[in-house]
Amino acid sequence: MSTHSKQKRLTTASIRAMKGKDRVVCLTAYTTPIARLLDPHCDLLLVGDSLGMVLYGMETTVGVTLDMMVAHGRAVMRGASHACVIVDLPFGSYQESKEQAFRSAVRLMQETGCDGVKLEGGEEMAATIAFLTARGVPVFAHVGLMPQLVNTAGGFRSLGHSDEEAAKIRRDALAVAEAGAFAVVVEGTVEPVARDITASLGVPTIGIGASPACDGQVLVSDDMLGLFNDFMPRFVKRFANLGPLVSQAAEAYAEEVRTGQFPAKEHTFQPKR
Ligand code: KIV
């Protein structure tokens, strides 16, 4: 039975207005049942392109397509009645030109019904963000560690350790906020830089691996639910440990099927007469 409420969903304007007042709670969601469970507790649900790694076993997010984001965006929208829902523009769907970004964003918004899109990039994406927001597309920006740049960055690592890196992240955050982003994800960034950015922007910063200094936090839901038992980055906290529970349930099921204990009488249909 569904437990989600029927109240009207939060808007990108209400998320923006939380700056300086309330901390913004954001989690990723990729499917309808998980969206239903998370929705009452979150301000923002992000259909992140991390789904390529989490659901599809990809090494990076580079192989995620717009079709995949549309399918998962639609699924999440079916399970969300409270939180504002944002869908990621995947790699290659927006970097070529402002017009390409607009076409991709419109496809996501029209085919999923989501409230806005997220894209990675700082100064170099500012003109695109201004173009989109001026044309009715709310943009959630993403600076600091940008997973779609993994092939040019040479891997995933926290940023802002050198003065040069710190200055670049500050410039990026300022540029995307000035261009009209309603909020900014700050990923994998050292605390003093995240703190400076949060103090200087008029829109909320949503941190992931960017310290408590941000205006809100986001985590990949599967990470915080403990569905993976391999590598866990330092910035993740496990609020549950569901991986072993799933494994134990599968083991118990396998045992009962092999021994003939399942299905039992109560799971079996019999003719009515
Ligand atoms: O793709 C994603 O899930 C993200 C968040 C982790 C910020 O970009």
Side-chain angles (χ1 to χ4, degrees), residues 28 30 46-51 61 88 118 120 142 147 185 187 208 218-220:
T28 62
Y30 316 125
L46 173 65
V47 188
D49 61 354
S50 52
L51 63 81
T61 57
D88 259 351
K118 179 166 82 57
E120 294 180 14
H142 184 148
V185 168
E187 179 164 357
I208 173 161
V218 56
L219 280 178
V220 169

